[in-house]
């Protein structure tokens, strides 16, 4: 198939769409910086980052935790980060015994400690199990960070987050692309703040 037969406009349109939404994130630079500072203070004080979400957001939670517990751009000691989406036995046991809405909340009840940060990721901002986990995090006094899409859903309307990034798009793919961009910015922020003298 020659390049003239390929739908290059489809590809270019998708790239331009992604760029436009990311460009709009510049207006939320202060929110992203506040999130970075909150996690920095937590980790400096011996806390952990506990991330969670469903589907693609679960993948983002795991991606961010992996970059921090492993490495991002710098050689440095591991950072305390965990995704609450990876223990299939816990997820299925809790889901079976208590309901799917409790799969993250119950883990937080058993795992979270004062000084930890809960990072909730939901494109809609209204996933019931994410909302329930944020309610538990609030009751336990955790710092609560959120990443969602346009409008923020219940995460915004119920004031469940101390800092909430709302990607200005209702397109799930564009929202998720921005979430992992922000995740990478947080990883870079933490490496700079906590291990700025390490070799790049």
């Amino acid at each position: 198939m020659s390049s003239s037969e390929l739908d290059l406009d489809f590809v270019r349109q998708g790239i331009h769409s992604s760029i436009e939404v990311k460009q709009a994130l510049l207006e939320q630079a202060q929110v992203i910086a506040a999130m970075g500072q909150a996690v920095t203070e937590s980790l400096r004080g011996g806390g952990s980052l506990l991330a969670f979400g469903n589907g693609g957001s679960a993948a983002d939670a795991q991606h961010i935790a992996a970059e921090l517990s492993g490495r991002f751009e710098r050689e440095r000691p591991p950072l305390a980060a965990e995704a609450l989406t990876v223990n299939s036995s816990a997820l299925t046991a809790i889901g079976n015994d208590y309901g799917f809405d409790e799969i993250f909340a119950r883990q937080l009840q058993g795992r979270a400690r004062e000084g930890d940060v809960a990072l909730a990721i939901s494109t809609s901002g209204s996933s019931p199990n994410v909302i329930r986990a944020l309610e538990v995090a609030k009751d336990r006094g955790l710092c609560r960070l959120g990443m969602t899409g346009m409008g923020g859903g219940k995460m915004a309307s119920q004031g469940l987050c101390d800092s909430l990034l709302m990607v200005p798009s209702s397109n799930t793919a564009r929202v998720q692309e921005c979430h992992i961009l922000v995740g990478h910015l947080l990883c870079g922020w933490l490496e700079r703040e906590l291990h700025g003298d390490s070799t790049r």
Side-chain angles (χ1 to χ4, degrees), residues 118-197:
L119 174 59
I121 308 173
S122 169
T123 57
S124 69
S126 297
S127 301
N129 55 6
V130 172
I131 297 302
R132 174 69 182 128
L134 283 170
E135 291 170 348
V136 168
K138 185 175 182 179
D139 289 343
R140 297 180 71 89
L142 270 63
C143 175
R144 290 155 285 114
L145 309 179
M147 295 197 294
T148 185
M150 183 174 288
K154 292 181 180 178
M155 288 165 67
S157 65
Q158 295 182 11
L160 292 171
C161 296
D162 297 302
S163 292
L164 180 61
L165 176 95
M166 294 184 287
V167 177
S169 175
S170 57
N171 181 291
T172 298
R174 301 291 88 85
V175 173
Q176 291 176 337
E177 289 160 7
C178 289
H179 284 177
I180 201 57
L181 167 62
V182 173
H184 282 161
L185 289 172
L186 292 176
C187 291
W189 180 289
L190 291 166
E191 286 193 335
R192 183 196 63 177
E193 291 296 306
L194 298 172
H195 300 287
D197 58 349

Side-chain angles (χ1 to χ4, degrees), residues 1-194:
M1 182 179 290
S2 69
S3 60
S4 62
E5 295 174 302
L6 297 173
D7 189 354
L8 300 184
D9 285 342
F10 174 82
V11 175
R12 292 180 178 126
Q13 181 179 358
I15 293 171
H16 283 301
S17 173
S18 185
I19 290 170
E20 288 171 5
V21 179
K22 289 185 175 77
Q23 187 77 24
L25 280 184
L26 289 169
E27 297 180 8
Q28 297 190 57
Q30 188 161 350
V31 173
I32 299 168
M35 294 170 72
Q37 193 56 37
V39 183
T40 298
E41 292 173 3
S42 171
L43 298 187
R44 276 186 176 145
S48 299
L49 177 68
L50 305 172
F52 48 91
N54 299 291
S57 298
D60 287 342
Q62 292 165 211
H63 186 152
I64 295 166
E67 301 282 22
L68 295 176
S69 59
R71 68 185 296 274
F72 182 56
E73 294 181 326
R74 302 174 185 265
E75 291 296 340
R76 40 78 179 167
L79 300 174
E82 180 180 345
L84 302 183
T85 54
V86 297
N87 187 332
S88 59
S89 295
L91 294 173
T92 54
I94 296 167
N96 185 64
D97 294 343
Y98 299 96
F100 190 70
D101 290 358
E102 295 294 321
I103 61 171
F104 304 133
R106 193 161 176 86
Q107 289 188 76
L108 283 178
Q109 287 170 334
R111 167 70 175 82
R113 300 292 180 264
E114 184 177 355
D116 288 345
V117 173
L119 174 59
I121 308 173
S122 169
T123 57
S124 69
S126 297
S127 301
N129 55 6
V130 172
I131 297 302
R132 174 69 182 128
L134 283 170
E135 291 170 348
V136 168
K138 185 175 182 179
D139 289 343
R140 297 180 71 89
L142 270 63
C143 175
R144 290 155 285 114
L145 309 179
M147 295 197 294
T148 185
M150 183 174 288
K154 292 181 180 178
M155 288 165 67
S157 65
Q158 295 182 11
L160 292 171
C161 296
D162 297 302
S163 292
L164 180 61
L165 176 95
M166 294 184 287
V167 177
S169 175
S170 57
N171 181 291
T172 298
R174 301 291 88 85
V175 173
Q176 291 176 337
E177 289 160 7
C178 289
H179 284 177
I180 201 57
L181 167 62
V182 173
H184 282 161
L185 289 172
L186 292 176
C187 291
W189 180 289
L190 291 166
E191 286 193 335
R192 183 196 63 177
E193 291 296 306
L194 298 172

